[in-house]
Amino acid sequence: MVKVPFASLSAAIAMLATALGFLTVQLRAEGYEQYVESVACASVVLYVTAALVVVTWVRARRPHSD
């Protein structure tokens, strides 16, 4: 069975969320307030997704006791 690359997936999602966070700051500085909320929301959703991938990774490593 092939192991799923949880660590690289979580890191990539977190990096994308960080990039969107920086974009949010740039949009606010440039005066594009109408886009700030949606980009910030997408950034937060990606951070939560990265955290859930880590939780899945931790749970997948535990031995299954049925």
Side-chain angles (χ1 to χ4, degrees), residues 11-59:
I13 293 172
M15 287 187 330
L16 181 58
T18 302
L20 285 176
F22 284 125
L23 178 62
T24 301
V25 173
Q26 282 287 61
L27 287 173
R28 181 164 292 172
E30 297 290 326
Y32 292 103
E33 289 292 326
Q34 68 265 23
Y35 302 113
V36 168
E37 185 179 351
S38 61
V39 174
C41 182
S43 177
V44 170
V45 167
L46 285 173
Y47 276 124
V48 170
T49 302
L52 289 174
V53 169
V54 170
V55 168
T56 303
W57 182 21
V58 168
R59 290 185 57 123

